Amino acid sequence: MNVQNSINERIQHIVDSNDVVLFMKGIAKIPQCGFSAKVAQILNVIGANYKDINVLEDSDIREGIKTFSNWPTIPQLYVKGEFVGGCDIVREMYEQGELQDLFEQKGLSIKSNKTKI
Amino acid sequence: MPMESSEVKELIKSAIPDAEVTIKDLTGDGNHYSAHVISSAFKNKSRVQQHQLVYSAFNGRMVTPYMHLH
């Protein structure tokens, strides 16, 4: 089995076993990149529970995730195993209320009011 | 490797034939463009799938696409 396959399996397992996963630089409490911090902040504001994966601690995941999702940048947000997007997309979705709708459609609890930051 | 805006447009249209493409040169260095793309191909596609469709037009010629598509 080639390296990318085994990394893909590791990533698949992570996104399958957690409702919401944020692959980011740093951790939710101490983000180490502005884009990662922005997505973590949005998830915190809407009151979403999520698993943070610090790609800085795992170079296989840091590179492998880009092939896995066919998306070249970090952060990457996954909801119920589906790739939602990076910082730009998550921010746009949040501003349009689409992110909150997605969570509700997937039966994931979030704060009800669509607060702005 | 810098690119002409016409080439950016052509690449997008080759991948999405019915696309209406408006290119804005953000910095004048041939490396930073914003593309406004309208196409029926985006119908029923999530935001990230729409971005990936446009991104695929560049098949690897784009290092870090910060795309802002509507």
Side-chain angles (χ1 to χ4, degrees), chain A residues 69-70 72-73 88 92 98, chain B residues 47-48 51-52 64-65 67-68:
Chain A
S69 60
N70 179 32
T73 55
D88 242 13
E92 266 178 53
E98 286 174 31
Chain B
R47 282 178 185 267
V48 77
H51 282 230
Q52 285 173 323
T64 324
M67 285 188 272
H68 202 77

Side-chain angles (χ1 to χ4, degrees), chain A residues 5 16 25 28-29 35 40 56 66 70 73 93 108 113:
Chain A
N5 279 352
D16 286 346
K25 290 177 181 172
K29 288 198 174 55
F35 298 111
L56 299 178
K66 296 172 186 175
N70 179 32
T73 55
M93 289 178 71
L108 297 168
N113 57 2

Side-chain angles (χ1 to χ4, degrees), chain B residues 1-17 19-37 53-59 61-63 65-69:
Chain B
M1 225 273 292
M3 224 189 265
E4 289 299 325
S5 65
S6 54
E7 194 179 355
V8 174
K9 193 170 206 175
E10 257 165 54
L11 280 172
I12 294 174
K13 284 184 83 69
S14 65
I16 314 170
E20 249 180 71
V21 184
T22 317
I23 303 286
K24 224 194 286 168
D25 188 337
L26 298 176
T27 53
D29 63 3
N31 277 321
H32 299 84
Y33 292 103
S34 94
H36 188 261
V37 186
L53 189 55
V54 175
Y55 173 44
S56 69
F58 296 90
N59 48 46
R61 292 184 56 187
M62 186 191 288
V63 176
Y66 282 98
M67 285 188 272
H68 202 77
L69 298 180

Side-chain angles (χ1 to χ4, degrees), chain A residues 20 42-50 79 94 97-115:
Chain A
V20 184
I42 288 172
L43 293 174
N44 296 337
V45 162
I46 68 170
N49 298 311
Y50 60 100
V79 173
Y94 166 72
E98 286 174 31
L99 189 66
Q100 299 84 323
D101 294 343
L102 174 68
F103 273 78
E104 274 151 22
Q105 273 161 28
K106 302 283 185 181
L108 297 168
S109 67
I110 54 170
K111 277 191 206 141
S112 60
N113 57 2
K114 290 180 179 165
T115 45

